[in-house]
Amino acid sequence: MTETSNWLLNVVIFLPLLFAGLVAFLPSGERTLVRGTTFVGMLLSALASVWLYLDFVPNGPEFQFETRWHWIDALGISYHIGVDGLAVSLILLTGFLGPMVVLASWGTVQNRVKEFHLSLLVLQTAMLGALSSLDIILFYVFWEAMLIPMYLLIGVWGSEDRVMAAVKFFLYTLVGSFLMLVAILAIYFISQPNAGARSFDLATIYNALVGANRELSACLAAGGENCHLSPVAATLKTWGPYLFLAFALAFAIKVPMWPVHTWLPDAHVQAPMAGSIILAGVMLKMGTFGFWRFAFPLFPANGREFQILLAVLAVIGIVYGALMCLAQRDIKKLIAYSSVSHLGFCMLGMLAMSKEGATGSAYQMLNHGVSTGALFLLFGLLYDRGHTRLMADYGGVAKVMPVFAAFFLIITFSSIAVPGTNGFVGEFLVLLGTFKSDFLKYGFGVFAATAVILGAAYMLWMVQRVFFGEPSHREAHHLSDLNAREIVTALPFVVLVLVMGLMPQPFLERIEPASARFVARATLGSPHAPADAARLLRMEVADLPPAESAPKIAALPAAPTPVPAPSPAALQAVEIPPTVRPVETPVRRPIERRFPQLQRVQPSPSARQP
């Protein structure tokens, strides 16, 4: 990592926004120019994200490519960005999906093309910014900024019930966001009780809470009674559970975890193909990323109080999502419910709080973005030809679309974790970490493993009905195979599935240091903390540069010190020199003498008589 590359992360984040400004000035009727400009912006951002990923040093500092500027000094808010191994991997995934989404929707979006691509570009910047933020308020700004463009993508370019799905998505996320904002403000004051130089910087808040969290962990391990806690630790003991739940609810809605998942199937079914790819590929990872970056490191002791409850919800989501897939007849809704199941694996591996489980959780975030994003892409291409989402309306597609069928089958193998694909590596590490943790005695790993069988059942059942057998309708005989543009769009997904499955080490070596730090911080003060946890606890970031000297305003001269009045004896002792004459105060003359023309009018004698 070089000094000049410190600006690289800013380029990755704001390059799509720069091209959004260019697209805003293009004529609305120039559809090809709008699409081409958007694709170039997304492609350049993707290339910059590849450069960022390759330049990241796996065993280097925790946060790299940092930029820290003053923003709102009075409140302790700064523009602070940087990436660790997990963030840089998710940024690579986000950058990769950007140009793919533009290519996939090239011929499908025909109305309000300019506004559609503006929404894509703004959403790309918001997602990249949220993954890079190291100031909690900056993260919250980017987090909220994601809502509006995604709301527009679903509500304007979606299917028949798009408005209902968009409003449901917006309200669910907004409620969780408001609770998280309250918790952010509370932890801002709790972590820095002394008024003065408070800060919303993540590292400042986290490092200030390490001692209090260690005290609280020891207190809870001893039963939680008759503990002599510092004021900050006592406050965390009282209010910490509520603050953790506020963060957890906001992130659980975004994952989504059962039972706050009900907005997701509607959003996926009604969203356009581009919206579904982005939603599955990146936006759902904001929830798991939030647990990883904020909820557990800031509240480790309180988080472990809810560890079993959250694990139960994760396992329910895994099994429930798989069973719901078996009941679906709508292909797009089946893929949506599979997201609920797969993201339950991400949560379970994280909650195991073992190095293997955390690494598998992070790897599964990448896997899900590739495999489920590809499933929505490929089904979107099929829907453009058949104009129906029902399995019963297809059949025998492999005979007329062999290239499409081959691509879809490889992505299906990834989704059901066949060895040699990326899905196998992630799920294997999650289950391994779960069995190595304390969860073994609760049987969470056993219940989660059943979803592997159920996943194979519902995906292969769907493939058999859609691609094999005889066509259900005469129109299925006339479906055309993928064209060159569509092959260029889908092929990178297939390549990634195989590369990440056969050669996972280049990806894992960037994730593992971040996993070790997450486990050390989430298990702070726990008997199950790693032996080397002490060296991984402190969060090291760049210092805030000194503020630029503001233009100085000349200070008003100080008031002169009053001189005491001299005494009469002192006045008599003072001799006035003969050459000095005292200044006489001018006598105020009557106005008639100063202005002769003005004479007082005397009343006549007759006027004085009654």
Side-chain angles (χ1 to χ4, degrees), residues 451-466:
V452 177
I453 303 172
L454 294 175
Y458 65 72
M459 288 300 296
L460 294 178
W461 171 66
M462 183 263 291
V463 167
Q464 190 272 331
R465 295 195 63 187
V466 173

Side-chain angles (χ1 to χ4, degrees), residues 225-556:
E225 300 294 336
N226 302 321
C227 298
H228 299 285
L229 300 175
S230 64
V232 176
T235 305
L236 284 178
K237 185 175 185 294
T238 303
W239 297 103
Y242 303 103
L243 299 180
F244 174 80
L245 287 177
F247 275 98
L249 180 61
F251 299 140
I253 290 173
K254 188 73 83 175
V255 171
M257 295 182 68
W258 185 91
V260 290
H261 69 285
T262 55
W263 64 270
L264 181 65
D266 293 329
H268 267 315
V269 169
Q270 301 302 324
M273 175 171 52
S276 294
I277 295 172
I278 294 175
L279 190 60
V282 183
M283 286 195 68
L284 302 185
K285 313 306 177 303
M286 295 298 172
T288 52
F289 178 78
F291 276 106
W292 182 292
R293 174 72 81 236
F294 299 100
F296 282 109
L298 291 178
F299 308 97
N302 304 118
R304 291 195 299 271
E305 291 184 273
F306 297 98
Q307 183 183 13
I308 299 299
L309 173 62
L310 291 174
V312 170
L313 297 181
V315 171
I316 291 175
I318 292 172
V319 179
Y320 166 83
L323 292 176
M324 288 297 293
C325 288
L326 288 172
Q328 298 307 312
R329 299 298 180 265
D330 185 314
I331 301 175
K332 203 171 186 183
K333 188 169 285 190
L334 182 149
I335 302 172
Y337 275 109
S338 73
S339 291
V340 177
S341 183
H342 290 153
L343 287 166
F345 275 100
C346 294
M347 287 303 304
L348 184 63
M350 188 189 310
L351 291 164
M353 294 184 185
S354 61
K355 188 175 180 181
E356 294 83 359
T359 302
S361 171
Y363 204 69
Q364 193 66 5
M365 295 182 205
L366 303 179
N367 294 337
H368 180 265
V370 173
S371 59
T372 307
L375 286 175
F376 279 116
L377 165 68
L378 292 172
F379 174 73
L381 298 178
L382 181 63
Y383 180 81
D384 289 340
R385 291 161 169 79
H387 303 289
T388 178
R389 298 192 300 263
L390 299 178
M391 299 181 208
D393 294 336
Y394 293 99
V397 172
K399 296 179 180 179
V400 294
M401 302 178 67
V403 176
F404 174 83
F407 284 178
F408 201 100
L409 195 59
I410 293 173
I411 301 300
T412 299
F413 289 157
S414 168
S415 182
I416 62 179
V418 171
T421 64
N422 58 345
F424 173 77
V425 179
E427 289 193 7
F428 175 79
L429 286 173
V430 167
L431 292 174
L432 178 63
T434 303
F435 282 118
K436 289 185 66 174
S437 72
D438 284 347
F439 286 170
L440 177 61
K441 61 185 177 184
Y442 298 106
F444 289 155
V446 176
F447 286 110
T450 61
V452 177
I453 303 172
L454 294 175
Y458 65 72
M459 288 300 296
L460 294 178
W461 171 66
M462 183 263 291
V463 167
Q464 190 272 331
R465 295 195 63 187
V466 173
F467 290 93
F468 300 103
E470 293 298 324
S472 302
H473 291 77
R474 181 174 301 176
E475 291 79 4
H477 289 284
H478 305 288
L479 298 178
S480 58
D481 209 348
L482 301 182
N483 56 37
R485 174 183 60 82
E486 293 166 340
I487 291 176
V488 169
T489 306
L491 186 59
F493 288 93
V494 176
V495 172
L496 265 181
V497 162
L498 299 176
V499 169
M500 293 178 68
L502 298 174
M503 294 186 297
Q505 193 55 39
F507 301 93
L508 293 176
E509 68 181 4
R510 286 169 172 78
I511 293 174
E512 285 174 350
S515 302
R517 290 187 176 95
F518 167 78
V519 173
R521 291 164 184 169
T523 59
L524 172 64
S526 167
H528 307 287
D532 60 344
R535 68 178 182 85
L536 301 174
L537 288 178
R538 184 167 180 80
M539 196 176 287
E540 301 285 349
V541 296
D543 294 328
L544 187 66
E548 296 181 1
S549 57
K552 296 181 179 179
I553 302 175
L556 295 175

Side-chain angles (χ1 to χ4, degrees), residues 177-218:
S177 299
F178 282 159
L179 292 175
M180 181 172 66
L181 180 59
V182 173
I184 288 173
L185 296 176
I187 201 63
Y188 169 73
F189 289 104
I190 292 172
S191 63
Q192 302 156 96
N194 298 324
R198 290 191 175 105
S199 175
F200 280 101
D201 189 72
L202 172 63
T204 302
I205 293 176
Y206 167 79
N207 291 329
L209 293 174
V210 168
N213 278 315
R214 185 180 284 111
E215 288 182 53
L216 181 58
S217 296

